[in-house]
Amino acid sequence: MEEPIESAGKITARDAGIRYGVILSCLSILYFVTAAVTGTNMTEGIGRWGGLIFTVGVLWFAHKYYKENGDGFMSIGQGVAISFWVSLISSVISSIFTFVYVKYIDDGFIQNLKDRQYDQFLEEGMSDSQIEQAMSISESFMTPNALLLFGIFGGIVMGLIIGLVISLFTQRKNPDFTV
């Protein structure tokens, strides 16, 4: 009988990334639903930064898990690889959920986004013609399909950037390997 990969001490960056990607997607979905139900503005304040806090925490725990279940070491490259897998898995799952939610569950979600964008343009002192032009541009990005695509690609890019920074702090160089 084969020993599980994790207990053999040969966990891969992908293994850790997939595990924690699922965890981050669950947290992201819970956060999104809570914000949507309470009417929290996701573009400013805690609505904007709350998701980043979850991402930083989950990536830190993913790196910790990798080191504890591997050989105890992690390079920056391995940390970024873990971050890629976490970001990929969580972005795909949570973006698909957001797509389904916006398209089939809460049909007023997009209109709420548009209304907030319009109010923001008014607060910035834009003229009616400027607002009309800006809204025509921004509305093309406020569709379920656009949210899906930007959620996936934006999540991966942001996850990689955050993962690189976290990897600088969580790396543990193997003294047996010198570069």
Side-chain angles (χ1 to χ4, degrees):
M1 190 159 118
E2 284 187 35
E3 226 178 298
I5 292 174
E6 293 178 52
S7 64
K10 295 183 182 185
I11 190 167
T12 66
R14 186 179 70 189
D15 295 335
I18 291 172
R19 171 185 289 240
Y20 281 87
V22 170
I23 292 169
L24 182 57
S25 66
C26 292
L27 290 172
S28 297
I29 290 169
L30 182 62
Y31 182 72
F32 173 80
V33 169
T34 302
V37 168
T38 61
T40 302
N41 186 347
M42 298 294 285
T43 60
E44 58 187 39
I46 190 67
R48 182 176 191 168
W49 300 108
L52 290 175
I53 293 168
F54 285 127
T55 301
V56 168
V58 168
L59 289 175
W60 183 83
F61 279 111
H63 292 177
K64 183 176 187 274
Y65 174 81
Y66 178 82
K67 291 182 286 190
E68 288 175 352
N69 291 283
D71 59 5
F73 303 105
M74 184 189 77
S75 68
I76 291 175
Q78 289 167 323
V80 171
I82 293 166
S83 301
F84 167 77
W85 284 104
V86 169
S87 301
L88 176 68
I89 299 300
S90 67
S91 295
V92 168
I93 292 171
S94 60
S95 293
I96 290 171
F97 176 84
T98 301
F99 174 84
V100 170
Y101 180 86
V102 169
K103 186 142 178 121
Y104 302 108
I105 298 172
D106 185 359
D107 57 354
F109 185 85
I110 297 286
Q111 187 58 49
N112 188 21
L113 284 178
K114 291 176 183 178
D115 293 344
R116 286 186 183 178
Q117 185 72 57
Y118 182 84
D119 292 343
Q120 183 181 355
F121 290 150
L122 279 176
E123 288 175 15
E124 293 174 3
M126 295 173 74
S127 69
D128 289 340
S129 63
Q130 289 173 321
I131 291 174
E132 186 177 320
Q133 184 179 15
M135 286 301 293
S136 68
I137 294 169
S138 64
E139 283 179 350
S140 64
F141 298 107
M142 293 184 192
T143 66
N145 293 341
L147 292 176
L148 175 70
L149 292 175
F150 288 122
I152 292 171
F153 293 115
I156 292 170
V157 170
M158 285 304 297
L160 284 172
I161 292 168
I162 294 168
L164 174 61
V165 173
I166 291 173
S167 296
L168 294 171
F169 296 100
T170 59
Q171 70 174 322
R172 185 177 298 150
K173 295 179 183 175
N174 188 338
D176 294 337
F177 297 112
T178 56
V179 179

